[in-house]
Amino acid sequence: MIVRELELDLDAFEGPFDLLLTLVLREELELADVDVAGIVVAFVERLEERGELDLEACGEFLVLVAALLELKARALFPDEEAELGELEPEEAAEELARRLAEYRRMKEAAAVLAERLEQEGDRFFRLGPAPLAPRPERRLAPQEPELLAAALRALAAEPPAVSLAHIERRFPPVRRFVDRFRALLAGRRRFSFDAEVGELSRVEQAVAFLALLELRKANEIALEQAAPFAPIQVSRQEIRRKRESDEAWTARSA
Amino acid sequence: MDRPLRLISTNPLDRLARTLEALLVVAGQPLTPEDLAVAADDDLERVETALGLLSERYREGRSGIVLERVAGGYAFRAARDAALACERLFERPVQRGLSQAALETLSIVAYLGPCSRPDIARVRGVSADSAVAGLVERGLIGEAGREDGAGGAVRYRTTPLFERVFGLESLSELPRLDDLGDGADEIRDRLHAVADQRTA
Amino acid sequence: MDRPLRLISTNPLDRLARTLEALLVVAGQPLTPEDLAVAADDDLERVETALGLLSERYREGRSGIVLERVAGGYAFRAARDAALACERLFERPVQRGLSQAALETLSIVAYLGPCSRPDIARVRGVSADSAVAGLVERGLIGEAGREDGAGGAVRYRTTPLFERVFGLESLSELPRLDDLGDGADEIRDRLHAVADQRTA
């Protein structure tokens, strides 16, 4: 079975799989419109018709479909890699899945509207006033000139930075905890992680733990734990502390 | 001999119905029973009764003028069997050639309520600027203030014309978002069907 | 007993009359018998006959909808005895405020001097077409020549009605915006800079 010759009959495309790939790569077909699940089902059905398991074809197909899916995901969220990059892989995957589901629902809603338009296409009505109807005068109460000044001032105001607030609320940035732990360790040699994050939400605790790993990776801290699930003790790395204290001394003596 | 007829024609409810006909034929958009009651200077209950009479008189198959319930009110339109004749005479600037992008944008605005171009782009994954501009021009969506009060991005919502074009009594007539499955079930079913065939 | 009635209801002339009703209720302007004949794909003489039927059905005292013959052709209008109700329908309460879009557009035209729709759209970050059309309709702004002579975009300026509504003797009485810049040009530059940032 030759995967590239797989015949597809999708909403957005009809023809062999390799033509679809070509069109997508030439950007002549919007990948966002391609129903990848439909391709998978077509492949499985074809496989079933043949009645034997063609491992080589399965392998090739998996590689192609995985690539297609990745391209599609990236195309759907072009500017948000940075935003998603802030998240842990699992969280990012969850966020992507959530948005894909939302997009998919909207596409279905659009299909419902299209169908409705088709059904209601034979309803003609008048747009605008009747031919011989009176033209009403729309009177306006006296207005304050200050309203105009306020409107223009608002247009001249710096726009709020593109808000990622809803993401941040759920997933505070790792950076915040990195800074916080550094500040803590500038004041004392060690602290108890559990005591420090005890009052935070689970998500925040998870992100705080990521910050710990980050600091450990950079060799800024040492982690100790007496036993699994025992409180985690965080302390400054000795070498680093020494250098910092030297600098501090110099600074103070100057 | 013509007594009974005369009686009917001076029946106050019939008079009210005539007044409502007049109001509906000059109105540029659907009128609610409340609008009609105020204009006719009559009470709501009687207006509702008269509307019932008119709905019967102006219905498909009986009259070329049809009274329909749409966009939260009542409006006259052409009977469906005159659609071909209407097409020969009238342009349809609103619904003609709505693109897939426009329909998706329209769904997002209809379902998510007032939202900005960045909101729409976030769901669609591509810029919504030209789709939004096209829908505003057709009068299917309109501005609804700005995000964060002043200064933010302009937000849009669907217009009564949207409901009219799509023949909706109100937005609540759209299928619930929860009922628009993500299609996963259907795909799973098809795959199961294949699997069952295999073991059979 | 109901034979004659049944005959009438399936009479082709009645069908034609229904089609004409439909066309007339959709039309935004009077339709000539010729227009109607083309749309109904029927011959002019039959259309005239059907119009005669309809004039009888839709006449004063009999129906709230009246078929009127005017200079440009035929059109439906409201019956005279519903005139008071129609007046109440069209009598709009004095509007208390302007929409955000209207206010923004008006402030741009008032402070920056005559501007075209593209100018306004650039500052607002969204199309100004419907806001401009609305303000022109209410007489708050009016056309003031074209950009770069004949071929350019139409520019708009505020009207004397605008000054009356805002209680201004002249535009020089507008509240000062020194905090935004020195003079219209500087304010315009600043607005453009912010708008570019907003759409970025």
Side-chain angles (χ1 to χ4, degrees):
Chain A
M1 171 176 181
I2 300 165
V3 172
R4 284 156 202 277
E5 289 172 5
L6 178 68
E7 275 299 321
L8 298 170
D9 183 9
L10 310 171
D11 284 345
F13 173 83
E14 211 183 315
F17 193 22
D18 62 348
L19 179 59
L20 177 126
L21 290 175
T22 312
L23 292 177
V24 164
L25 291 175
R26 280 204 220 134
E27 297 183 347
E28 285 169 22
L29 181 64
E30 193 73 63
L31 195 48
D33 297 335
V34 175
D35 175 15
V36 179
I39 300 177
V40 174
V41 171
F43 176 74
V44 173
E45 280 168 350
R46 189 81 189 49
L47 209 58
E48 173 51 30
E49 278 165 27
R50 290 177 54 86
E52 60 184 64
L53 188 57
D54 184 340
L55 275 180
E56 198 175 325
C58 286
E60 187 189 359
F61 181 76
L62 271 180
V63 171
L64 288 173
V65 159
L68 215 50
L69 273 178
E70 186 176 352
L71 268 180
K72 182 167 179 172
R74 279 175 197 275
L76 279 177
F77 310 107
D79 303 323
E80 312 210 350
E81 276 180 52
E83 187 181 316
L84 292 169
E86 285 274 326
L87 307 178
E88 224 188 316
E90 270 176 39
E91 293 162 350
E94 201 175 293
E95 181 67 17
L96 268 174
R98 190 187 64 75
R99 287 191 210 171
L100 275 169
E102 184 173 40
Y103 178 61
R104 199 167 177 134
R105 274 200 295 273
M106 285 309 163
K107 275 190 89 94
E108 270 193 44
V112 169
L113 286 185
E115 195 180 314
R116 223 181 149 106
L117 204 57
E118 182 79 23
Q119 286 165 4
E120 305 300 328
D122 53 358
R123 284 167 53 262
F124 274 79
F125 53 86
R126 178 156 36 77
L127 284 175
L132 306 176
R135 297 283 184 270
E137 187 191 345
R138 291 164 78 194
R139 279 173 306 155
L140 186 62
Q143 303 288 310
E144 284 301 319
E146 270 308 326
L147 286 173
L148 295 171
L152 212 65
R153 273 205 187 88
L155 285 173
E158 300 278 322
V162 173
S163 170
L164 307 177
H166 60 293
I167 299 272
E168 275 165 26
R169 225 174 295 128
R170 272 180 296 159
F171 308 117
V174 174
R175 179 93 235 146
R176 200 167 89 205
F177 288 99
V178 168
D179 292 345
R180 177 161 151 193
F181 293 153
R182 277 200 186 122
L184 264 178
L185 287 174
R188 50 187 153 130
R189 266 197 65 191
R190 56 193 291 139
F191 66 87
S192 160
F193 176 74
D194 297 65
E196 198 55 43
V197 302
E199 290 184 356
L200 302 180
S201 72
R202 283 174 63 91
V203 172
E204 284 174 312
Q205 288 183 358
V207 176
F209 187 69
L210 279 181
L212 271 196
L213 296 179
E214 191 99 338
L215 288 168
R216 176 69 195 81
K217 205 166 83 188
N219 229 15
E220 288 185 46
I221 58 166
L223 299 175
E224 293 160 52
Q225 194 174 26
F229 303 110
I232 299 170
Q233 294 299 322
V234 184
S235 55
R236 270 185 286 177
Q237 274 295 22
E238 282 310 306
I239 317 154
R240 194 151 182 109
R241 182 183 65 89
K242 222 174 207 164
R243 202 175 58 222
E244 273 171 5
S245 68
D246 285 347
E247 281 165 11
W249 174 252
T250 323
R252 231 173 281 133
S253 66
Chain B
M1 189 61 187
D2 63 352
R3 255 295 138 106
L5 265 172
R6 196 171 279 263
L7 242 177
I8 289 167
S9 74
T10 54
N11 175 327
L13 198 62
D14 196 62
R15 246 189 101 86
L16 174 58
R18 289 219 307 269
T19 303
L20 301 187
E21 285 177 340
L23 291 167
L24 289 162
V25 86
V26 289
Q29 49 200 348
L31 299 173
T32 64
E34 289 77 12
D35 294 336
L36 289 164
V38 169
D41 193 23
D42 213 316
D43 74 74
L44 190 57
E45 208 173 312
R46 278 169 43 84
V47 166
E48 304 260 19
T49 312
L51 282 169
L53 279 180
L54 292 175
S55 300
E56 182 51 31
R57 186 178 311 163
Y58 296 103
R59 65 172 159 76
E60 293 285 354
R62 181 165 178 186
S63 158
I65 303 174
V66 169
L67 181 60
E68 74 173 343
R69 223 189 153 138
V70 74
Y74 287 82
F76 280 140
R77 65 163 166 83
R80 285 179 196 262
D81 53 15
L84 195 62
C86 289
E87 245 162 66
R88 290 197 197 100
L89 200 57
F90 305 114
E91 294 277 309
R92 316 199 76 187
V94 179
Q95 49 267 67
R96 169 143 11 84
L98 273 176
S99 67
Q100 175 71 14
L103 285 170
E104 282 176 23
T105 303
L106 207 46
S107 319
I108 294 168
V109 177
Y111 276 102
L112 303 188
C115 51
S116 65
R117 287 184 295 184
D119 289 339
I120 299 163
R122 191 182 279 270
V123 176
R124 291 198 56 230
V126 289
S127 157
D129 294 3
S130 71
V132 166
L135 291 170
V136 169
E137 198 178 319
R138 288 165 192 256
L140 292 170
I141 63 174
E143 288 189 29
R146 287 183 185 266
E147 270 175 351
D148 312 313
V154 169
R155 302 211 287 186
Y156 298 88
R157 62 159 170 251
T158 55
T159 59
L161 180 62
F162 162 75
E163 287 165 48
R164 237 190 141 182
V165 165
F166 285 86
L168 299 165
E169 261 188 57
S170 77
L171 283 186
S172 63
E173 245 191 281
L174 288 171
R176 280 160 33 94
L177 209 47
D178 296 345
D179 295 339
L180 295 173
D182 54 8
D185 289 345
E186 192 214 342
I187 292 161
R188 202 170 294 129
D189 288 349
R190 281 171 71 187
L191 289 176
H192 276 306
V194 170
D196 290 348
Q197 239 174 301
R198 192 169 187 87
T199 51
Chain C
M1 191 61 186
D2 61 352
R3 248 298 129 118
L5 265 173
R6 194 172 281 262
L7 245 175
I8 288 165
S9 75
T10 53
N11 178 328
L13 197 61
D14 195 63
R15 249 188 98 88
L16 173 59
R18 289 220 306 268
T19 303
L20 302 187
E21 284 178 340
L23 290 164
L24 288 162
V25 85
V26 174
Q29 53 194 27
L31 299 174
T32 63
E34 289 76 13
D35 292 337
L36 291 164
V38 168
D41 193 23
D42 214 315
D43 70 74
L44 190 56
E45 205 175 313
R46 277 169 45 83
V47 166
E48 304 264 19
T49 313
L51 281 168
L53 273 182
L54 291 175
S55 301
E56 181 52 29
R57 187 180 310 165
Y58 295 105
R59 65 171 160 77
E60 292 288 353
R62 180 166 178 186
S63 158
I65 303 173
V66 170
L67 183 60
E68 172 97 0
R69 178 165 205 164
V70 290
Y74 286 84
F76 281 138
R77 64 164 170 82
R80 274 192 245 290
D81 54 12
L84 199 59
C86 289
E87 225 168 86
R88 277 192 290 260
L89 181 69
F90 284 104
E91 173 190 306
R92 301 217 191 152
V94 174
Q95 198 188 339
R96 296 205 30 217
L98 290 160
S99 74
Q100 175 84 5
L103 207 52
E104 286 177 11
T105 304
L106 211 44
S107 70
I108 293 166
V109 177
Y111 276 101
L112 303 187
C115 352
S116 65
R117 288 181 206 218
D119 290 340
I120 301 165
R122 172 146 187 223
V123 172
R124 293 196 63 225
V126 295
S127 155
D129 293 1
S130 67
V132 166
L135 291 169
V136 168
E137 194 212 313
R138 348 176 53 156
L140 293 170
I141 62 175
E143 294 192 11
R146 287 180 182 271
E147 272 174 349
D148 317 315
V154 173
R155 302 210 290 187
Y156 297 88
R157 58 168 160 61
T158 55
T159 60
L161 176 62
F162 162 81
E163 287 169 20
R164 269 209 303 287
V165 165
F166 282 85
L168 303 165
E169 290 274 326
S170 77
L171 286 184
S172 62
E173 273 185 36
L174 282 168
R176 300 190 60 82
L177 289 175
D178 297 336
D179 48 324
L180 295 188
D182 229 357
D185 288 343
E186 223 178 288
I187 295 176
R188 186 194 309 264
D189 289 346
R190 170 160 180 170
L191 287 167
H192 285 168
V194 171
D196 291 348
Q197 224 175 305
R198 197 182 291 128
T199 50

